[in-house]
Amino acid sequence: MTRSTTSGASVRSRARRSRALGRLVFLGPGLTYLIVLLLIPLALLIGFTVFRRGRFGGVVYELTGENFTRLLDPLYLDVVIGSLKLAAIATLIALLVGYPTAYLIAQLPRKWKTIALVAVVLPFWTNFLVRIYAWIVLLSGPGLVNSTLMDLGLIDKPLELLYNQGTIVTGLVYSYLPLMVLPLYAAIEKLDPQLREASANLGAGPVRTFASVTLPLTLPGVFTGCLFVFVPSFGNFIIPELLGGGRSIMVGNLIRDQFLKARDWPFGSTLALALLAVLIVLLLLQAWSARRA
């Protein structure tokens, strides 16, 4: 009896080890990826924030809080505020364009709905840099826009369409508009049509129905879409560099310059950590608003 009990316990123990090994095999690649490419770089980033910059770049391992006080320098605050403004404008425009687009797609027959959704995500199948350079070709002095306007006789000389903040916002909206449309479409698609019919039967017009039924019930999609557009816009550095011509510096450009040009890794890490903190706050606000909605 004792031998049988011991044998049963041994079998159960081997089964537990086998299950644990199986989980480890499946989780191993993902955990390795997270540890090597996320946790270790994040730990280094946090660690660098409390050290000094070396005389010729790099890191001197002497503790200091100077990197955090430099964040309050008006020069850097202006860059942060400017980045927030451009990202907020791009997000607002993407919302104003994306909401009616998503609404119309949700009303289409199933076949056309699929085609429309593919058309929305189609730009993502092309390289990001190629798409941005295409905007340079379009908006340059002898580009398609200027040449068309001159052929139509609307202008006498080419307009300066490149290298300003309006072009940066245009590039941000173009690049991240699908990230606004898709969550809005998902939220509108889940909306029960009977609620709008009930609102209409009670005498509400289209505008009242939209304001009282459609918009409140799709707010989670609105918040998610705004977050998806605002976050990459705020930290973007390629679009300001190419379409802004380096005249408008955003937070992403500032962080890149600290690492690659100034070789001030501690302050670059502090800026990156501050940016990460802002994004975490936004994610928490989005989760909170989604729960309330």
Side-chain angles (χ1 to χ4, degrees):
M1 180 69 180
T2 304
R3 181 177 299 174
S4 175
T5 303
T6 304
S7 175
S10 177
V11 169
R12 286 193 295 273
S13 177
R14 283 199 298 272
R16 282 196 296 271
R17 285 199 298 270
S18 177
R19 286 196 295 271
L21 182 61
R23 293 191 189 104
L24 188 62
V25 168
F26 283 105
L27 292 175
L31 288 174
T32 304
Y33 176 85
L34 287 175
I35 292 171
V36 173
L37 298 180
L38 178 64
L39 295 182
I40 292 177
L42 183 60
L44 290 172
L45 190 78
I46 295 172
F48 284 164
T49 60
V50 296
F51 295 120
R52 295 183 185 278
R53 173 183 181 271
R55 185 175 180 182
F56 302 104
V59 181
V60 174
Y61 296 99
E62 297 175 1
L63 293 178
T64 179
E66 182 185 351
N67 298 313
F68 292 96
T69 58
R70 285 178 64 189
L71 289 176
L72 303 177
D73 189 308
L75 176 65
Y76 303 121
L77 283 179
D78 286 345
V79 174
V80 173
I81 292 171
S83 302
L84 286 172
K85 186 180 72 173
L86 290 178
I89 294 172
T91 303
L92 179 61
I93 295 174
L95 176 62
L96 294 177
V97 175
Y99 200 105
T101 304
Y103 191 87
L104 289 175
I105 292 175
Q107 311 308 314
L108 292 174
R110 181 176 296 276
K111 182 182 73 173
W112 291 107
K113 196 180 293 185
T114 304
I115 294 173
L117 289 173
V118 170
V120 168
V121 299
L122 196 60
F124 279 120
W125 296 354
T126 308
N127 184 277
F128 182 78
L129 284 176
V130 171
R131 285 185 280 141
I132 298 303
Y133 274 112
W135 275 102
I136 295 177
V137 173
L138 284 173
L139 300 177
S140 64
L144 181 63
V145 175
N146 271 320
S147 60
T148 302
L149 292 175
M150 292 178 72
D151 291 341
L152 294 174
L154 298 176
I155 56 175
D156 297 327
K157 59 180 181 181
L159 301 174
E160 294 184 3
L161 300 175
L162 278 174
Y163 311 136
N164 55 59
Q165 292 192 345
T167 314
I168 296 175
V169 171
T170 302
L172 293 173
V173 172
Y174 164 74
S175 299
Y176 301 122
L177 184 60
L179 301 180
M180 177 67 80
V181 173
L182 294 179
L184 284 173
Y185 166 77
I188 296 170
E189 181 72 6
K190 287 193 300 184
L191 190 62
D192 189 349
Q194 292 183 346
L195 295 175
R196 281 176 287 185
E197 293 174 6
S199 176
N201 291 336
L202 291 172
V207 176
R208 180 76 179 273
T209 298
F210 175 79
S212 305
V213 178
T214 306
L215 183 59
L217 293 177
T218 55
L219 279 181
V222 172
F223 292 137
T224 303
C226 289
L227 188 69
F228 283 0
V229 174
F230 183 83
V231 169
S233 298
F234 185 48
N236 196 288
F237 64 92
I238 296 176
I239 293 175
E241 187 74 25
L242 297 180
L243 295 184
R247 297 179 182 176
S248 297
I249 298 177
M250 295 183 71
V251 173
N253 302 91
L254 188 60
I255 294 173
R256 180 206 58 185
D257 290 345
Q258 294 303 315
F259 279 99
L260 301 182
K261 295 182 179 178
R263 291 181 54 78
D264 192 346
W265 293 8
F267 186 57
S269 300
T270 308
L271 283 169
L273 190 63
L275 178 63
L276 183 63
V278 171
L279 300 184
I280 289 174
V281 170
L282 291 176
L283 286 171
L284 293 176
L285 287 175
Q286 190 274 336
W288 175 76
S289 63
R291 283 199 301 271
R292 285 181 63 85

